[in-house]
Amino acid sequence: MIVARDAASLREAVGGWKAAGQRVALVPTMGYLHEGHLALVHRARELAPRVIATIFVNPTQFAPHEDLGRYPRDEAGDMAKLEAAGCDLLFAPPVEVVYPPGFSTAITMRGPAEDLEGVFRPQMFGGVALVCTRLFGLTGADVAVFGEKDWQQVMVVRQAVSDLALPIAIETVPTVRAEDGLALSSRNAYLGPEERRVARALHAALARAAERLRAGANSAEATAQAERELLEAGFRQVDYVALRREADFAPMEHGGEKGRLLAAAWLGQVRLIDNLPV
Ligand code: AMP
């Protein structure tokens, strides 16, 4: 596996592949990789003969009070996992390669970015769109693979790609979960043993709410019940449990059309998100 830290060595490797007519798939991550990330790498390998993974903890998507400084890192472990998964190139640049001195562009995302996560983390989706479009440009990838775990992020990235007419396809992979249902996440490393036991309630509450929606409950009832269950299970605060239409992220009052049930909730100092299809 090639390890590139700057734009020139990245371009050199990709240029060779493109000259040989090989398509390139990209898997952007913030590192501290788990089976969810590796599922994206496996999907990328099905989509293209060459796979690039990136590890970059993107400062522009964190607010000052958030966990940028303590975000978990294990580059040596990540490299071994990527190599075993058949990744061809790891792009792990320092901040000044992604945002060189004089960098002057910012992105404001509207539409699907203004709801849910965008309300609680207003800086996030502009930062995500900025780093993703920059990584698309630096790598020249033909397709990028994202996880359904961050459903709203996928909607926002698709919107940015469409709005900016970027020549890249966006593919998704279903959420990879632990045995008890908890969605794998690098941030799960922050959970203490007792919090980790409680954390399973997030998926369980969403699954029960999805069941109630299928049985005809309206979304206000189903999501309020899920919020109560989370608080009873030991979550400290629920930012939202909400039903959105998959096609355009519009609120839905009932199940029926293809929808997504999304939630964000705090367990101690750790904020977890998850979502399920309805
Ligand atoms: P992150 O490193 O958390 O920024 O995630 C990088 C990519 O991996 C994003 O596209 C995530 O949606 C995806 N991802 C994270 N966790 C999972 C999971 N449990 N299952 C599937 N994809 C995931």
Side-chain angles (χ1 to χ4, degrees), residues 225-273:
Q225 173 72 21
E227 291 191 19
R228 281 195 296 276
E229 289 177 11
L230 288 172
L231 295 172
E232 278 161 21
F235 276 79
R236 172 169 68 78
Q237 181 186 319
V238 179
D239 282 353
Y240 59 83
V241 179
L243 179 64
R244 294 290 181 268
R245 193 154 59 201
E246 284 202 354
D248 59 1
F249 219 59
M252 289 168 64
E253 281 183 24
H254 294 275
E257 276 177 290
K258 252 187 151 189
R260 276 275 152 176
L261 197 52
L262 304 102
W266 290 86
L267 201 44
Q269 296 308 304
V270 188
R271 186 173 183 275
L272 299 179
I273 63 170

Side-chain angles (χ1 to χ4, degrees), residues 1 15 21 25 47 63 68 73 80 115 119 121 127 129 139 167 184 205-206 221 228 236 238-239 261:
M1 185 174 72
L47 293 165
L68 173 66
R73 291 167 202 253
D115 201 5
V119 173
R121 303 185 64 197
T139 60
L184 299 188
L206 283 179
E221 287 162 14
R228 281 195 296 276
R236 172 169 68 78
V238 179
D239 282 353
L261 197 52

Side-chain angles (χ1 to χ4, degrees), residues 43-245:
R43 180 77 186 113
R45 288 191 62 195
E46 294 170 357
L47 293 165
R50 293 296 183 179
V51 173
I52 299 176
T54 66
I55 295 179
F56 181 64
V57 183
N58 174 36
T60 62
Q61 73 190 67
F62 288 77
H65 63 275
E66 291 180 343
D67 57 346
L68 173 66
R70 64 178 185 119
Y71 197 83
R73 291 167 202 253
D74 175 17
E75 201 189 70
D78 289 349
M79 277 193 201
K81 289 174 189 167
L82 288 171
E83 182 127 43
C87 179
D88 294 288
L89 187 150
L90 167 64
F91 183 49
V95 173
E96 60 274 19
V97 166
V98 179
Y99 302 116
F103 190 94
S104 305
T105 299
I107 296 181
T108 303
M109 291 299 304
R110 301 203 176 87
E114 292 177 302
D115 201 5
L116 305 185
E117 284 300 289
V119 173
F120 290 91
R121 303 185 64 197
Q123 77 301 323
M124 188 173 76
F125 287 129
V128 166
L130 188 63
V131 77
C132 286
T133 52
R134 174 112 174 114
L135 290 172
F136 297 165
L138 284 167
T139 60
D142 301 286
V143 55
V145 187
F146 290 85
E148 285 188 6
K149 156 92 193 325
D150 300 278
W151 181 266
Q152 193 178 357
Q153 170 169 281
V154 173
M155 307 250 356
V156 170
V157 171
R158 283 194 200 281
Q159 189 69 50
V161 164
S162 164
D163 291 352
L164 301 175
L166 303 179
I168 189 165
I170 304 299
E171 288 281 334
T172 60
V173 169
T175 303
V176 178
R177 300 180 178 281
E179 256 179 46
D180 66 354
L182 177 66
L184 299 188
S185 165
S186 309
R187 288 190 167 102
N188 293 349
Y190 300 146
L191 298 170
E194 178 53 28
E195 290 169 336
R196 175 61 190 82
R197 274 191 290 280
V198 173
R200 63 175 294 281
L202 182 55
H203 172 255
L206 283 179
R208 278 192 296 270
E211 223 20 78
R212 282 193 292 274
L213 287 163
R214 282 187 204 102
N218 71 37
S219 86
E221 287 162 14
T223 56
Q225 173 72 21
E227 291 191 19
R228 281 195 296 276
E229 289 177 11
L230 288 172
L231 295 172
E232 278 161 21
F235 276 79
R236 172 169 68 78
Q237 181 186 319
V238 179
D239 282 353
Y240 59 83
V241 179
L243 179 64
R244 294 290 181 268
R245 193 154 59 201

